[in-house]
Amino acid sequence: PDARDLTVTQWLRYHAAARGAPVEGPPEEAMKAMGLLSNAETRVAHLSGGLCERLLLARLLLAPAALVLIDHPLARLDAGGEFALSSLFERLRGDRKAAVLWAATDKRQLEGHCDRVEPLSAP
């Protein structure tokens, strides 16, 4: 089936199984952490851009990862989503000891979220 036809809960369960890693918790915990519980039965196709971004980030809580690469996560998030993202980073870095690499074009987006900011220079 098309992933957009799945509900938020089904989508998270699918991705948990696809990772092949032991799932650390039920999808409801990831949905709660990212503010998606009220959308548990909403089809992915009906989510706003910001809620889709939250869903993509929620899947990071389903299985352990030593390294997380995130590209412009604030692009579509509202204030509530940004707060959930901050909590997610703290959990990944603190509880899991994961390294998080975050790409952003606006350095101000990184303030308060990162231990260190490294600008990329042109060759």
Side-chain angles (χ1 to χ4, degrees):
D2 185 343
R4 296 172 29 87
D5 292 332
L6 300 175
T7 66
V8 167
T9 302
Q10 291 169 331
W11 191 91
L12 285 170
R13 285 192 178 131
Y14 169 81
H15 280 277
R19 286 176 175 257
V23 176
E24 290 193 352
E28 292 76 19
E29 289 179 22
M31 287 187 283
K32 182 179 178 183
M34 294 308 297
L36 291 167
L37 270 179
S38 63
N39 301 98
E41 298 308 314
T42 303
R43 300 224 176 271
V44 172
H46 297 141
L47 295 176
S48 68
L51 290 176
C52 282
E53 193 69 32
R54 288 185 193 206
L55 180 59
L56 291 170
L57 294 166
R59 111 181 122 170
L60 296 173
L61 295 170
L62 298 177
L67 175 63
V68 177
L69 305 172
I70 301 177
D71 185 26
H72 297 83
L74 294 176
R76 300 186 299 176
L77 290 180
D78 59 5
E82 187 172 342
F83 178 78
L85 177 66
S86 293
S87 298
L88 170 69
F89 283 166
E90 289 304 314
R91 190 168 172 182
L92 290 173
R93 292 186 308 183
D95 298 347
R96 297 194 183 172
K97 307 291 187 232
V100 180
L101 260 79
W102 175 352
T105 52
D106 185 351
K107 188 169 118 175
R108 292 172 297 187
Q109 290 181 338
L110 304 174
E111 293 173 1
H113 297 291
C114 301
D115 295 328
R116 186 173 71 223
V117 176
E118 295 291 333
L120 295 177
S121 57

